[in-house]
Amino acid sequence: MSLVVRDARVLTLARAPRPRRGAAVGELSALEIADVFITDDAVSAVGNSLPVPRGTPEVDAGGRVLMPGFVDCHTHACWAGDRLDEWEMRLRGATYQEIQAAGGGIMSTVRAVRAASQDELEENLVRRLDAALRSGTTTIEVKSGYGLSTADELKMLRAIRAAAERWPGTVVPTALLGHALDPDVDPRVFVDRMINETLPAVHGEFPGIPVDAFCESGAWSRDECCRLFERAHELGHPVRVHADQFTSLGMVPAAIHLGARSVDHLEATRSGELAALAASNLFAVMLPCCGFHLDGRYADARGFVDRGGLLCIATNCNPGSAPCSSMPMAIALAVRHGRLTPEEAIGAATINPATLLALHDRGTIDRGQRADLILLRHTDERMLACEFGAGPVDVVIAGGRVTHTHP
Ligand code: NIG
């Protein structure tokens, strides 16, 4: 099976080494007008007026921008139920944390997920994956974390695995074992159980899966997260952490010390700790849809990039703090509120998150790379960040196959 895209402005992102530190994240290595030839699921040539076998299906880009598909590296897209009543409470003035402290928030979704079957979770996730694909996401990370018991975490992870098999893009699962504290269980017993019973069970069925936790007052403490992560490392799992969403609890230096892969959120991080993170080999994952939906607070993406850090942006798609699966929306917000350039936002949505997820075969357009490509409606990539609220993606190609063509 082959396909050629003709006469595109091709953002290859292929000339500088990966991952991209600091402002180098914005080096897009654009080819003014070029063709991309795809054989099976990979790019086999990039160049001008490429000769291809007679009868090869063709997409005429007409000068529009062709770029790598988005890699959304932080989502909670597997859930049941909704949080519409809580959203209305927030519109009337209640905060996310007040709702959480009253037993709602993440725990509302935990109750809905525990009551749902694995099949229901799978169907819900497939619908959300399709929506993400339509807006250009060809690789997506999906966390568990709404089960919070051994059986329910495994149910979520199995649903994520089953949905992944039905989707033309790539799903990377993460075991979010420290997402909240179950109010029905003594906190010490609960944390011990997640570490000593749930983690080994997850390890048995999903060896090597990244392990995550939410370090926040009212959620897991820094010491509890560290205990989980040390055990996860002993079992061979990489770790990631949600830190400083509302409160800075010292998780950033602890994550650097532990050798986590990424620290995600960072809205409340002090500048010294952000500088330390920028100087480390950990990725920062910033989630601007959260600030848009919750409270107008955004992580300092500009400061992090200026200090030479490894930056990713992601949607954080979830029912509570960011009901959004659109990477173009995350980019539009990162540029306005994180003060990134459009080019930096593009690199932080493609090559860097691909590297964070250890998927070195995507995030650039180059010979041998996986053919996960999107053709924008625009001839200038800055429109991706400037325009918002309208789908900017005309054609989606996942694994060499055209999955969506928007008229
Ligand atoms: O990253 N903060 C923790 N987890 C999610 C929110 C999940 C939810 O509200 O259901 C986040 O924002």
Side-chain angles (χ1 to χ4, degrees), residues 74 76 83 96 106 146 179 214 242 245 265 316 318 320-321:
H74 181 131
H76 306 254
R83 306 247 286 273
Y96 181 82
I106 293 168
Y146 293 124
H179 201 189
F214 177 30
H242 294 57
Q245 181 177 7
H265 271 292
N316 192 21
N318 75 72
S321 67

Side-chain angles (χ1 to χ4, degrees), residues 24-36:
V25 73
E27 283 175 24
L28 302 182
S29 309
L31 304 175
E32 225 21 85
I33 283 291
D35 305 338
V36 175

Side-chain angles (χ1 to χ4, degrees), residues 105-260:
I106 293 168
M107 283 311 299
S108 300
T109 303
V110 168
R111 288 187 286 275
V113 163
R114 286 178 179 168
S117 67
Q118 184 184 314
D119 287 352
E120 243 173 278
L121 292 173
E122 177 186 329
E123 291 307 320
N124 291 352
L125 177 54
V126 165
R127 271 204 319 277
R128 294 182 197 121
L129 293 176
D130 283 340
L133 188 66
R134 276 196 299 278
S135 57
T137 296
T138 48
T139 298
I140 189 168
E141 183 258 17
V142 181
K143 300 177 197 296
S144 63
Y146 293 124
L148 302 187
S149 71
T150 303
D152 291 302
E153 283 298 308
L154 288 173
K155 177 175 76 177
M156 284 197 76
L157 290 169
R158 289 173 189 146
I160 294 168
R161 179 171 58 194
E165 280 163 15
R166 294 168 53 188
W167 196 56
T170 306
V171 176
V172 178
T174 294
L176 175 50
L177 302 184
H179 201 189
L181 295 170
D182 186 337
D184 295 332
V185 186
D186 174 85
R188 267 181 311 184
V189 173
F190 176 74
V191 168
D192 283 353
R193 195 188 293 162
M194 293 307 289
I195 296 174
N196 298 323
E197 180 193 301
T198 308
L199 174 60
V202 166
H203 172 72
E205 194 170 329
F206 299 88
I209 189 173
V211 168
D212 200 340
F214 177 30
C215 180
E216 185 57 61
S217 48
W220 282 46
S221 71
R222 185 191 56 190
D223 290 351
E224 289 163 345
C225 289
C226 289
R227 278 178 52 214
L228 171 71
F229 294 153
E230 276 158 16
R231 188 72 192 113
H233 271 163
E234 282 163 15
L235 292 172
H237 298 263
V239 305
R240 300 180 57 183
V241 64
H242 294 57
D244 299 357
Q245 181 177 7
F246 300 102
T247 329
S248 176
L249 296 178
M251 191 64 232
V252 170
I256 296 170
H257 179 74
L258 275 163

Side-chain angles (χ1 to χ4, degrees), residues 10 27 66 68 81 110 138 164 236 270 273 297 301 338 348 352 383 397:
V10 182
E27 283 175 24
L66 184 73
V110 168
T138 48
R270 289 183 270 261
E273 293 193 357
R297 291 178 313 108
N352 272 7
M383 277 302 279
I397 301 170

